[in-house]
Amino acid sequence: MLLRMVGIGRKNIIEVEPHLCRVRVGLTDPLPESVVAAKGNSFLVGGWAYHPSKRITHLELRLLLARPEAKGTGPLDSEWDDIPLTHALPSDRQVEFADRLVPVTIRNIPNRQVLTDHFPEKDKFGNSFWSGYQALVQIPAQTNPGRAQLIVRAYLDNGTVESVPLGRFSVHAAMPEPQPIANLPEGTQPLVAVCMTTYNPPPELFRKQVDSIRAQTHTRWVCFIRDDGSKPAAIKMIREVLGDDPRFVFHRNEKNLGFYKNFEAVLADVPAEFDFVALADQDDLWHADKLESLIKAFTPGTTLAYSDMNIIDETGRVKADTYWTTRDNNYTHFPTLLLANTITGAASMFRRNLLGYLLPFPERLGDAYHDHWLACTAMAVGSIKYVDRPLYGYTQHSGNVVGHVAPKPGSWAGTVYRMLAFFLPTKFSRNLNAFIRHGRGFYFADLVRIQHTARNVMQRCAAEATPDKIAALNRVLTMADTVSGKLWLALRPLRYRDSWRRTVGVETHLLHALVWRFHLKIKAWWGTRLTARGILKNTLAKQRLPRPRVIDHIDSVAALERITAPLTLAVQPDGPARVNVVISMIDFKYVFGGYITVFQLCRKLTLDGFRVRLIVTDECDFRPVTWADSFRRFPGLEDFLDRIELLYCFDRRTVVPVSPRDTFLATSWWTAHVAHQAMKAIGKDEFVYLIQEYEPGFYPFGTLAAAATESYTFPHRALFSTEILREYFKLSGYGVFTSPTGDANSVSFENAITSVGPVTVEELRNKRTRKLLFYCRPEAHALRNMFDTGVMALRAAVQAGAFHGWEFHGIGSMGSSAKIKLANDVYMTLLPRLDQEQYRKILKDYDVGLSLMCSPHPSLVPLEMAKAGMTTVTNGFANKTAERLLDISTNFIPTPSSVEGVTRGLFNACARTKDYEARAVGADVNWAQTWDEAFPPAVMEKLGDFLRATMDPVAGQQQIRRAA
């Protein structure tokens, strides 16, 4: 039977058998590989789901948990990977199943990317546009490890339901037990664990902090320190400061975790023998009685105590006698604490048994911080006490992750003026669009974060929480979905005198987020009804047809004006010095080698001590919360967003705070225009220009080519991607090489290529099918990749008898899968876009590579093909000669850029396929394969000189004179 009736508590519906399901699903970010359940945990799932012809009236997720009993080997064994999570498991297994509903918290989020990829081949009605959703997956407490599977259930408007698997992950019952401490301090005093995290600490401040801990009047303590990937010099300094003091237990993370996960890791190091846990920052200054005074504050029902603090500068000078300069302290009102935290982690001490509720930390969403999670959990299961005097000095300096913020509310007059200006006819549409866009940001950054925290507190602490605290949690969890919840949120500012000081106006942000969600529901309701009548289909189809129109505003002019528009700068004389890296967009559909290079360069600059801010100037789906998992897929960038500042300036009215010591680094020709104007605005000339291509070659002769050429005339220091490209500029007299100091004012590096590991003769010989891989980019923006030349040469070679019985694949296209005819019954299949790991895995499957580039840059793809053991056909250009290419790898077959020349190269490549020894030797390419090799110390030292010279123009001029 193909269809069967099922009852789901809503109504009887018809469930479609799995093999007939047509609902298409996907994830915007991958599921976690594993989750620690402990007393309960949760994580956010973002994805998309649509039916190509039906409307989805209701969407939900199901979580299927498989938990083995003690008998059996357990679901984390490799043999479980291929077992479907159904009740039809091998009989020798005893498995307990749990099927849980995962409600979708928000639906119908517009997803232009899915529409672009799927219309009209897979989705002729345009349903994919409204396909986005989010859901919070809650994992209940576990006693045994297990496996879990998420299933999307879509209820369609024709009365059927379709269930499609979304993905799997492992579930662990608890975090690993901490290692015991061999020699605990003896005595009758309570045993305190001081937990500190470090990351390149300022040496003098770190030394003072450690000395202040050693000077505590309460002497029975052990200090656990976790370092998060500091530079070797910093590690050496830390070990020297700690010396052989047995009271300090020092660990280093194998990889950088970011401050949030690093605090989780150091708390997990505390054994059960301890009575209290106190948090410490790496650069503060404790008063001698800090531990003693906090311990005295505890009563039998107290779970956490914290104190006031002095605000001090790096020299120890007191800038403020209290932390509470603009906000009210709150440690008694639970609903207010859930909305806005006032309890600082470094001021806190809590009972060690609280770790059973705290660990593991929930997934970090938005700007969530560990001290807010700590405070909410502590108040949920007990009470909090406050020591009303400073017990340490909170040091303010340029390296603070979060400094002492003293925000001030706007005046009533200003608020009224902005409200009236909003409705001016000339500005209404623009203001309304900006208002809606900001509401989306508040939804994901504030509302989702706060409810995520409350849900985890409820899940872990409900058994110990009092009824009034349960009611407060329920109020926060329902404030977006019930009328009473919305009224509670809206009336909160009216209930309390000077309510802004209590929560810094977070209620306004949350109401703003609810307005955006309501706006989204209205648009989705109207859009889905258009889809049902077929109107959206016709509209989308018309957009793809050329049609005559009256030109009242030229699109190309508007686009050029928009992308080169200057930033709105606000100069702050006492602000920290930053390196402002100007990038066009962040979109993981387009994250190729050039974007990865920018991100890796930013990472290296932060490791060298620079404060880096990434400024995004073009329109994109700006969602840093969802980008974090995407960055984790790239080695070295796992904590990228924790290392840098991020600012979205598509709306050029966004104010960019800068100091007179700032500098700008451009990453493309139009961001060079932006960087040039920014440096002029702060009274400087030179910026640093990351040049990864000769960009005028991207365009026909005309305005854009001229604007790209003009960017090289601006005063700058140049960082070139490859020495070959640098030599091309030097031979042509472009950019910095219009001056005799061009060599001194430029440096080159090699973009790291994707390495597939060693290539052996046996691997090459044992392939069953011969395959050719073509870097095939038919899009208009990739004309320099010579798609037409490659296809014509392939056709000529195949029709002349080469590559008989071979398979042909193309990669690099942004479109969907397609086929290109090469000869009778011979086709080249264009593969869908691959992520980095998929690309790495397929490289070794091919014998011949074809990658063309009408550019002086050698391109990374042919290098990666040669590294994988392919005989690789690529063309020369200017100083990118055959000799230079063969110096990199003997697997290259350099050719002229003509169809005839590429055809000859393909014949040569086919003939050399069986020379396995030569191919294995050629796989040892002379090129950087890691980002540490790409940016060696000599390059980073010279780049650092460039940046410091542009920060200090006087020093820069001295450098130029010395070079001349």
Side-chain angles (χ1 to χ4, degrees):
M1 184 173 64
L2 300 183
L3 303 176
R4 58 191 175 91
M5 299 295 295
V6 297
I8 59 168
R10 294 159 52 87
K11 61 180 181 178
N12 284 336
I13 55 128
I14 302 174
E15 183 167 16
V16 179
E17 294 290 346
H19 66 281
L20 295 177
C21 290
R22 296 187 63 201
V23 169
R24 295 186 169 93
V25 301
L27 290 165
T28 53
D29 295 294
L31 295 177
E33 292 183 2
S34 62
V35 176
V36 178
K39 289 182 178 291
N41 206 345
S42 64
F43 62 89
L44 199 66
V45 170
W48 49 267
Y50 75 91
H51 192 281
S53 60
K54 306 296 181 186
R55 186 167 62 90
I56 297 177
T57 59
H58 177 73
L59 189 72
E60 66 186 24
L61 272 61
R62 308 296 303 191
L63 175 66
L64 187 62
L65 282 168
R67 298 187 294 259
E69 297 181 359
K71 177 182 176 181
T73 58
L76 301 183
D77 298 341
S78 59
E79 64 184 279
W80 277 67
D81 291 341
D82 299 323
I83 297 178
L85 288 181
T86 67
H87 293 71
L89 286 174
S91 57
D92 61 337
R93 303 283 184 169
Q94 292 187 6
V95 180
E96 176 190 356
F97 282 89
D99 186 1
R100 299 174 61 90
L101 172 67
V102 180
V104 171
T105 55
I106 185 170
R107 268 193 65 205
N108 300 127
I109 304 174
N111 196 321
R112 293 183 179 86
Q113 190 59 63
V114 180
L115 176 68
T116 301
D117 291 345
H118 291 208
F119 183 89
E121 293 85 1
K122 300 179 181 178
D123 174 28
K124 63 181 180 179
F125 290 101
N127 293 339
S128 55
F129 181 73
W130 301 103
S131 61
Y133 69 87
Q134 273 195 347
L136 194 66
V137 179
Q138 292 182 260
I139 310 296
Q142 305 287 302
T143 55
N144 291 315
R147 295 283 276 176
Q149 183 174 29
L150 276 177
I151 298 172
V152 172
R153 288 177 64 86
Y155 298 84
L156 307 179
D157 58 2
N158 65 349
T160 62
V161 62
E162 296 188 6
S163 300
V164 185
L166 191 60
R168 299 186 185 195
F169 55 92
S170 302
V171 178
H172 298 276
M175 297 183 72
E177 289 293 324
Q179 295 294 321
I181 304 300
N183 298 310
L184 291 174
E186 296 183 355
T188 59
Q189 293 178 312
L191 185 57
V192 180
V194 179
C195 292
M196 180 192 299
T197 61
T198 58
Y199 178 71
N200 292 323
E204 189 58 33
L205 296 179
F206 179 75
R207 184 173 289 104
K208 289 180 179 179
Q209 170 69 313
V210 170
D211 289 344
S212 72
I213 295 174
R214 285 182 169 132
Q216 290 297 297
T217 57
H218 180 91
T219 58
R220 194 165 184 247
W221 54 264
V222 174
C223 184
F224 295 85
I225 300 178
R226 273 230 171 237
D227 185 79
D228 203 25
S230 296
K231 292 185 289 188
I235 295 296
K236 181 181 178 182
M237 181 274 297
I238 291 172
R239 294 190 185 280
E240 288 175 352
V241 171
L242 300 182
D244 57 358
D245 192 333
R247 296 173 298 176
F248 289 89
V249 179
F250 181 66
H251 297 287
R252 295 182 65 187
N253 296 330
E254 294 182 1
K255 62 179 182 179
N256 188 279
L257 301 177
F259 76 92
Y260 183 78
K261 297 297 288 185
N262 197 26
F263 266 109
E264 177 191 59
V266 74
L267 291 177
D269 289 334
V270 180
E273 294 87 350
F274 285 79
D275 301 297
F276 295 100
V277 179
L279 299 184
D281 286 342
Q282 64 182 12
D283 46 17
D284 292 335
L285 188 63
W286 282 16
H287 296 184
D289 62 339
K290 183 173 188 285
L291 292 180
E292 180 182 357
S293 299
L294 288 174
I295 291 173
K296 288 180 179 179
F298 279 83
T299 61
T302 305
T303 49
L304 180 145
Y306 72 111
S307 71
D308 199 353
M309 67 197 79
N310 299 125
I311 309 302
I312 63 175
D313 62 17
E314 297 180 39
T315 65
R317 182 175 62 89
V318 176
K319 300 172 68 176
D321 291 329
T322 179
Y323 183 78
W324 311 111
T325 55
T326 60
R327 288 194 62 189
D328 290 340
N329 188 13
N330 167 53
Y331 58 96
T332 58
H333 195 250
F334 195 36
T336 299
L337 185 65
L338 288 169
L339 296 182
N341 183 40
T342 57
I343 298 175
T344 305
S348 303
M349 176 185 287
F350 56 91
R351 296 188 187 275
R352 197 280 175 196
N353 59 13
L354 191 64
L355 291 179
Y357 302 93
L358 288 172
L359 299 178
F361 285 180
E363 177 190 17
R364 187 175 187 232
L365 301 180
D367 291 331
Y369 291 96
H370 62 282
D371 44 12
H372 189 205
W373 168 242
L374 167 61
C376 292
T377 306
M379 188 176 285
V381 298
S383 64
I384 295 177
K385 293 296 178 65
Y386 175 62
V387 179
D388 193 10
R389 62 184 177 88
L391 292 181
Y392 75 105
Y394 184 16
T395 307
Q396 298 297 292
H397 59 89
S398 60
N400 286 114
V401 174
V402 180
H404 176 240
V405 181
K408 298 179 180 179
S411 66
W412 279 103
T415 302
V416 172
Y417 172 78
R418 285 191 296 272
M419 290 176 63
L420 293 175
F422 183 91
F423 290 99
L424 290 176
T426 56
K427 295 184 177 181
F428 179 74
S429 177
R430 184 176 63 187
N431 288 342
L432 181 60
N433 289 334
F435 180 81
I436 296 300
R437 185 170 63 250
H438 291 156
R440 173 180 179 137
F442 290 139
Y443 181 87
F444 291 108
D446 291 322
L447 193 147
V448 172
R449 170 181 58 84
I450 290 170
Q451 290 194 322
H452 179 59
T453 299
R455 200 175 304 274
N456 276 279
V457 172
M458 176 73 86
Q459 196 170 4
R460 301 189 193 186
C461 307
E464 286 76 23
T466 58
D468 61 316
K469 292 175 182 177
I470 295 292
L473 288 166
N474 281 323
R475 179 66 73 189
V476 171
L477 290 173
T478 60
M479 64 184 176
D481 302 306
T482 65
V483 174
S484 61
K486 295 182 178 72
L487 285 174
W488 173 80
L489 188 61
L491 295 176
R492 269 184 59 86
L494 304 179
R495 292 179 57 193
Y496 306 106
R497 182 182 177 185
D498 200 7
S499 64
W500 190 92
R501 291 179 61 93
R502 298 170 64 91
T503 61
V504 201
V506 72
E507 293 93 345
T508 305
H509 292 177
L510 297 176
L511 290 169
H512 196 162
L514 295 182
V515 171
W516 170 77
R517 196 175 75 160
F518 178 74
H519 166 266
L520 179 65
K521 288 182 179 179
I522 295 298
K523 288 192 68 174
W525 177 86
W526 181 243
T528 52
R529 273 138 186 82
L530 287 178
T531 302
R533 294 201 300 265
I535 298 176
L536 181 59
K537 169 191 173 183
N538 296 332
T539 303
L540 291 170
K542 288 177 183 177
Q543 289 176 356
R544 286 161 173 76
L545 296 176
R547 57 191 184 277
R549 60 193 177 100
V550 177
I551 300 178
D552 56 358
H553 185 71
I554 303 174
D555 293 341
S556 61
V557 174
L560 183 57
E561 289 175 338
R562 183 176 63 251
I563 64 176
T564 59
L567 301 170
T568 301
L569 305 181
V571 179
Q572 300 176 342
D574 297 330
R578 297 179 178 89
V579 177
N580 297 282
V581 179
V582 190
I583 190 172
S584 60
M585 67 167 60
I586 298 178
D587 186 332
F588 282 91
K589 179 179 178 182
Y590 302 101
V591 172
F592 298 126
Y595 282 99
I596 296 174
T597 298
V598 175
F599 301 147
Q600 293 286 359
L601 176 60
C602 291
R603 180 184 69 88
K604 293 287 287 185
L605 289 175
T606 62
L607 293 174
D608 285 349
F610 288 98
R611 183 168 182 160
V612 177
R613 177 168 57 193
L614 200 61
I615 298 178
V616 182
T617 58
D618 294 356
E619 185 173 17
C620 66
D621 188 12
F622 188 78
R623 295 178 61 186
V625 174
T626 63
W627 290 343
D629 288 336
S630 299
F631 276 113
R632 280 194 281 270
R633 297 200 297 263
F634 297 94
L637 299 179
E638 295 86 354
D639 65 331
F640 180 71
L641 294 180
D642 291 333
R643 290 180 177 273
I644 64 160
E645 299 175 41
L646 194 59
L647 193 59
Y648 184 42
C649 291
F650 172 65
D651 183 350
R652 291 297 200 270
R653 293 172 299 176
T654 301
V655 176
V656 182
V658 296
S659 86
R661 296 174 295 152
D662 272 22
T663 188
F664 283 77
L665 188 152
T667 58
S668 62
W669 70 261
W670 61 95
T671 61
H673 283 257
V674 175
H676 171 60
Q677 295 172 87
M679 292 298 278
K680 284 175 38 179
I682 58 177
K684 301 180 184 180
D685 292 324
E686 290 184 315
F687 62 94
V688 178
Y689 198 167
L690 170 61
I691 301 174
Q692 300 199 69
E693 183 59 280
Y694 179 65
E695 291 185 275
F698 289 6
Y699 313 101
F701 286 127
T703 300
L704 294 180
T709 303
E710 182 190 12
S711 71
Y712 302 132
T713 68
F714 301 145
H716 67 274
R717 308 285 180 102
L719 173 64
F720 287 98
S721 166
T722 78
E723 182 63 19
I724 297 175
L725 183 62
R726 180 175 178 270
E727 287 179 1
Y728 177 78
F729 273 68
K730 184 174 183 178
L731 293 171
S732 305
Y734 296 146
V736 293
F737 293 105
T738 57
S739 165
T741 60
D743 282 319
N745 287 339
S746 64
V747 68
S748 67
F749 69 97
E750 295 176 349
N751 308 69
I753 61 173
T754 302
S755 177
V756 296
V759 175
T760 65
V761 173
E762 289 72 20
E763 281 182 300
L764 299 174
R765 181 179 287 116
N766 293 335
K767 292 181 182 178
R768 297 181 180 179
T769 305
R770 297 300 170 192
K771 297 181 181 180
L772 179 145
L773 187 63
F774 176 30
Y775 187 44
C776 171
R777 303 187 67 192
E779 294 83 11
H781 64 266
L783 294 177
R784 69 189 187 282
N785 290 111
M786 303 172 63
F787 166 77
D788 312 274
T789 300
V791 172
M792 293 168 67
L794 273 172
R795 284 177 173 170
V798 171
Q799 292 170 9
F803 302 108
H804 180 69
W806 282 52
E807 291 182 8
F808 303 87
H809 293 147
I811 59 168
S813 172
M814 301 306 298
S816 56
S817 301
K819 290 188 176 182
I820 296 175
K821 186 174 182 179
L822 301 179
N824 289 334
D825 299 324
V826 179
Y827 292 87
M828 177 172 63
T829 302
L830 302 189
L831 301 177
R833 184 174 181 272
L834 308 173
D835 62 29
Q836 192 73 8
E837 192 56 35
Q838 291 170 325
Y839 173 60
R840 183 196 309 275
K841 288 179 179 178
I842 70 164
L843 281 173
K844 280 190 175 183
D845 293 341
Y846 295 89
D847 301 277
V848 169
L850 172 60
S851 181
L852 308 176
M853 187 86 150
C854 188
S855 160
H857 194 283
S859 180
L860 302 185
V861 176
L863 295 170
E864 290 161 343
M865 290 176 168
K867 171 61 185 172
M870 300 181 222
T871 51
T872 304
V873 179
T874 191
N875 62 302
F877 184 97
N879 62 309
K880 186 175 67 176
T881 61
E883 292 76 13
R884 294 297 297 271
L885 291 171
L886 290 172
D887 282 344
I888 298 171
S889 172
T890 53
N891 275 343
F892 280 131
I893 301 179
T895 72
S897 297
S898 64
V899 174
E900 182 181 357
V902 176
T903 304
R904 287 198 303 269
L906 288 169
F907 269 98
N908 190 359
C910 184
R912 287 176 52 182
T913 300
K914 294 185 179 181
D915 192 350
Y916 306 118
E917 289 79 6
R919 288 171 57 189
V921 170
D924 186 16
V925 298
N926 181 24
W927 201 265
Q929 296 175 46
T930 69
W931 287 103
D932 287 335
E933 295 173 358
F935 293 112
V939 170
M940 294 307 299
E941 182 178 354
K942 193 163 186 179
L943 176 59
D945 291 341
F946 291 172
L947 294 169
R948 284 183 283 270
T950 56
M951 289 175 168
D952 183 356
V954 175
Q957 290 300 319
Q958 292 174 352
Q959 276 190 12
I960 292 175
R961 285 194 291 272
R962 286 196 300 269

